[in-house]
Amino acid sequence: EIDVPFEFEGMVATVDATGIARKHLKRNPPPVGITLLGAYVAVTRALDLDLVMRLILDRFHGTVGASNVAATREAHDSVRILRGVKGRAVSGGR
């Protein structure tokens, strides 16, 4: 069970997108969007990871592309997916 401000039952996925983006992209604040795409692919399986990485390299050339691909791959590989999670409403709306 987890404490959330509402009743919930389903899947929860977590990934340290900020840490991964900071490590690979070396910017502050770290841009986490493309990094999160790797986690999205792992959770949903709606896209092919190799295709996503090729598209990233098409859009971002050189070291920027390689860094974004590395961040995407790490997020994909390190996302934690918990199924069957139940949340209970927390009073006080923290």
Side-chain angles (χ1 to χ4, degrees):
E1 267 193 13
I2 58 173
D3 293 336
V4 293
F6 51 86
E7 294 293 322
F8 172 82
E9 186 169 344
M11 176 176 46
V12 173
T14 63
V15 67
D16 181 11
T18 301
I20 292 168
R22 183 175 288 127
K23 172 181 158 185
H24 291 283
L25 305 177
K26 312 240 188 292
R27 291 186 41 208
N28 192 20
V32 297
I34 292 176
T35 302
L36 283 170
L37 187 56
Y40 174 81
V41 170
V43 171
T44 66
R45 297 184 180 153
L47 302 168
D48 177 70
L49 182 62
D50 290 331
L51 173 61
V52 168
M53 292 191 302
R54 282 194 308 272
L55 291 170
I56 291 169
L57 290 173
D58 284 347
R59 173 65 178 91
F60 300 99
H61 302 283
T63 58
V64 173
S67 297
N68 275 285
V69 163
T72 301
R73 165 71 72 190
E74 185 172 339
H76 176 274
D77 294 348
S78 65
V79 68
R80 291 184 53 215
I81 302 169
L82 305 170
R83 298 184 195 314
V85 174
K86 293 184 180 184
R88 59 181 174 80
V90 177
S91 60
R94 10 172 245 177

